Structures are given as C-alpha cells and as structure tokens.
Amino acid sequence: MSNLILALESSCDETAVALLKDGIIIKEYVASQLEHEAFGGVVPELASRAHQRSIVPTLDRVMNRLETPLSSITHIAYTQGPGLLGALLVGVSFAKALAFSLGIPALPIHHLKAHIFANFLNNPKPSLPFLSLVVSGGHTQLIWVEDYYKMTILGETRDDAAGEAFDKIAKIMGFPYPGGIHIDKNSKNGNPKAFKFPITNMENFDFSFSGIKTSFLYFVEKQKKQNPNFIKENLEDICASVQYAIVKMLTKKVIKAVKYKNAKSVVLGGGVVSNSFLKSELNKESKEGGWKLFYPSNNHCMDNAAMVGSAANYILKNNLPIITDLGVEPKARIPL
Ligand code: KG4
Ligand code: ZN
C-alpha cells in the first residue's frame, strides 16, 4: 500500500522535517542550531528552546506551496530517542499532537536505526542481513542487522564516540564546534604519516577513543613549548595524521567483523560517515575483500528527518509490527 510519511527529527541540535512518498523524498528541510558554537558543544537547554522556536516554521517550510496538503499524509514518523531528553520532548509532543489532530498513526523511530535506514533513501538498496557501522557525535557501534527489529551489537565504544574524539581534538586545535569537518577539510593535502598517534586496539569489536584525545593534548602542549606556532605551521599534517589514527581504529574493526560474520555488505550511518578518508579507506577495503559498501549522501549522514521517514517506510512496506500508542514517551537511551 502506498504511504505519505511526514517525518520529524529533534534528538540533538537539528530540527528537521521531511515528507516522503513510499520512501522517496518529496521535500525536506534541516534547521541547524548555530547557538551552540560559542559554547564548544551542544547546550541541552538551548537545544530544547531552539527546537521549540523552529519546529513549526520548519514544518511550514516543507509543506508550504506543496500540492500535498497535511490532510493527505498517511503517517507521522518521529525520533523517540536516543538523544537529549528536552530536545526529544519537543519533537515527540509535536508529532503526537499532529497525528492526533489528523487522525493518523504516529510511529516512534530509533535514532540510530534511522541512521542505518538512511541508506534506503538511495538505490540500489542494501540487502539484509548486513554489517553496520554507526558513527556519530554520541555513538560508535558495530551492529549486525537482520531487520529493523533484529539488530545485535557486536562492539561499541567504551568511552568517547568517534565524532566526539574528532570534536575534542578539533577544539584543542582551535576549530569551532563541531570540529570533525574542519579536520577532514584540512587533511586533504596533509601527510597522514607525519605524526604518529596511538591506534588503540580493544578486545573483540569494541573501540576506545579517549586515549587518542589525551595523547593529542600532551603532544600539542609539548610541541607548543618549543614552537608556539606549531599548530598553524603544521595544520594539514596534524589533521591528516590524527584523522588517519581515528579512521584506522574504525576500519580495522569493520574488516575484522566482516570476516567474523562473513558479511556481504557493510552499511555506514551517522555524521562521521561524511568523513572523506573513512569512505575512501572502506571503499578500498571493500574492493579488496569482495564485499559491498553502502553509505548515505553527506546531508543524510548528518542528523535529518528523511532517514526517520525511510525507517518508517521500511517498517510499513515489510509489514513489521508498528507502535501507534500516543502515550509513547521520549527516551534519552533506548536499546537497539
Ligand atoms: O549523526 P550526527 O549528525 O549527530 C549525532 O547524532 O551525533 O553526527 C555529528 C558528528 C559530529 O561529531 C561531527 O563532528 C561529526 O559527526 N562529523 C565529522 C564530519 N562531519 C561531521 N567527523 C569527521 N569528518 C567529517 N567530515
Ligand atoms: Zn545522529
């Protein structure tokens, strides 16, 4: 059966709305909150207030001048969590109230699963089962995905997320928040072997990124004592070297997990997937290993609502059980 899904995302610092017909985006908009930059990280209270201010204008921006009126929407999909509770509250309350007023079901969606199902916005779509690497500002997980409701965590970070490591290191270098993209951009002409940073190898499929952050801090402090302009004069080499270490920690575990599960496909999701070196390394590995690599376009790696709609469309098209209870609460943490 055909569906027209209005999807909402408000788990962190992006207020996003998307309209999808049978999993194909008709229109979408992501309102990014700029008020956190000055604080070097997301301030939860400011995020909640910004969602409150922008959720109606964002919806209006998507629906305005479309031939499809709100009354033709068949389902609302919204992020239930994980994320910042106050931020989620805005989207969840808004989604449920809108669904109630339209007399249609509201489907709660898991944010990390939505990052994975962002890959179903593209063609060809990955075939299940597959191995998924979800790497964002808050999460780093290797997941074996059999279906939307059947996911098993093979490994995860014991401390910082990969995006958090990028952001904390970028902050030490003086880049604005979120700094991951600045490290990526400034790496392009740098030598990844110029400086050596620790590539932590945890047991099994787990990750740890706190070591590299600490060693980076000591390294920079030591170098700056000898040359106060050290960062400025070596910017590209430093960025390329630190990016090399973070990406290697991720790719090593992906390769190990592919062999362990005999995976035919690897599906990437989350903001850090925008990183060009991560994608080029995994592209190389996939060719050598004979497996397929899938990743969303950069705008669908970062938080967005189209991925939430895509996950809901998958659930509906595959006749999986749906939750339509209007008593659903947002949750800061939800198991997969
Ligand atoms: O998935 P996302 O938009 O939000 C969360 O759910 O966390 O991910 C944001 C994270 C930030 O840590 C940001 O620095 C990182 O993704 N990121 C990058 C790049 N673009 C975004 N990290 C490395 N290289 C990039 N090009
Ligand atoms: Zn995210």
Side-chain angles (χ1 to χ4, degrees):
M1 230 176 55
S2 186
N3 65 55
L4 185 67
I5 298 173
L6 182 77
L8 301 152
E9 153 67 34
S10 74
S11 65
C12 191
D13 56 345
E14 253 90 36
T15 316
V17 176
L19 184 68
L20 297 92
K21 184 163 178 53
D22 297 319
I24 297 165
I25 302 167
I26 295 181
K27 205 167 163 192
E28 64 173 323
Y29 189 71
V30 179
S32 294
Q33 305 175 357
L34 304 174
E35 38 275 86
H36 307 288
E37 207 179 293
F39 299 93
V42 178
V43 184
E45 179 64 26
L46 292 184
S48 314
R49 293 180 195 201
H51 285 303
Q52 191 66 257
R53 276 196 304 277
S54 49
I55 197 151
V56 175
T58 307
L59 171 69
D60 191 41
R61 214 177 155 132
V62 170
M63 298 307 291
N64 195 1
R65 281 186 257 131
L66 280 187
E67 280 169 20
T68 24
L70 272 176
S71 58
S72 58
I73 291 165
T74 59
H75 301 80
I76 306 269
Y78 63 95
T79 305
Q80 185 195 0
L84 302 171
L85 199 60
L88 290 164
L89 260 169
V90 178
V92 173
S93 309
F94 187 79
K96 291 197 294 182
L98 189 58
F100 181 68
S101 71
L102 294 170
I104 56 173
L107 314 184
I109 297 294
H110 191 291
H111 181 74
L112 296 182
K113 295 187 182 194
H115 272 303
I116 296 172
F117 279 88
N119 287 278
F120 286 70
L121 291 166
N122 300 342
N123 280 309
K125 301 188 193 317
S127 330
L128 292 138
F130 53 68
L131 177 72
S132 185
L133 174 71
V134 178
V135 264
S136 69
H139 296 87
T140 303
Q141 289 183 326
L142 261 175
I143 305 165
W144 182 244
V145 180
E146 289 170 80
D147 213 336
Y148 182 87
Y149 290 112
K150 202 159 179 222
M151 299 196 187
T152 316
I153 298 172
L154 300 177
E156 60 192 331
T157 184
R158 304 260 182 100
D159 38 60
D160 293 347
E164 207 175 342
F166 268 113
D167 295 340
K168 285 179 177 169
I169 288 170
K171 193 173 177 181
I172 297 170
M173 294 177 76
F175 287 122
Y177 177 85
I181 190 165
H182 299 289
I183 293 185
D184 188 359
K185 279 187 179 159
N186 285 285
S187 295
K188 299 273 188 282
N189 301 312
N191 173 9
K193 302 272 170 70
F195 305 104
K196 213 167 172 335
F197 295 109
I199 297 179
T200 315
N201 192 10
M202 302 299 285
E203 275 166 51
N204 306 322
F205 300 103
D206 282 347
F207 304 91
S208 167
F209 293 99
S210 64
I212 190 167
K213 173 197 64 190
T214 314
S215 94
F216 185 82
L217 184 66
Y218 290 147
F219 165 79
V220 166
E221 276 174 0
K222 196 171 152 202
Q223 296 290 338
K224 271 185 162 172
K225 274 188 197 139
Q226 288 156 18
N227 174 9
N229 292 325
F230 174 73
I231 292 185
K232 212 168 145 196
E233 287 170 12
N234 297 279
L235 191 69
E236 293 185 338
D237 284 348
I238 301 172
C239 286
S241 301
V242 81
Q243 174 176 270
Y244 178 85
I246 296 176
V247 167
K248 278 289 163 196
M249 285 190 251
L250 293 169
T251 55
K252 278 187 171 187
K253 294 291 171 170
V254 170
I255 297 158
K256 189 175 167 185
V258 165
K259 289 187 184 140
Y260 174 69
K261 294 301 287 185
N262 193 19
K264 304 282 177 286
S265 306
V266 174
V267 172
L268 309 178
V272 179
V273 180
S274 317
N275 187 272
S276 47
F277 186 60
L278 174 65
K279 281 183 291 202
S280 71
E281 285 294 289
L282 285 176
N283 256 321
K284 237 173 26 199
E285 293 295 343
S286 74
K287 286 197 182 89
E288 276 171 28
W291 40 270
K292 287 188 185 150
L293 180 68
F294 295 86
Y295 46 81
S297 59
N298 276 358
N299 59 325
H300 294 134
C301 288
M302 308 300 286
D303 286 348
N304 66 91
M307 66 184 192
V308 177
S310 180
N313 176 63
Y314 178 88
I315 292 171
L316 293 171
K317 292 287 180 201
N318 290 282
N319 292 317
L320 300 182
I322 55 168
I323 300 157
T324 56
D325 176 13
L326 288 180
V328 166
E329 289 174 69
K331 290 214 164 78
R333 291 167 181 274
I334 319 181
L336 279 180

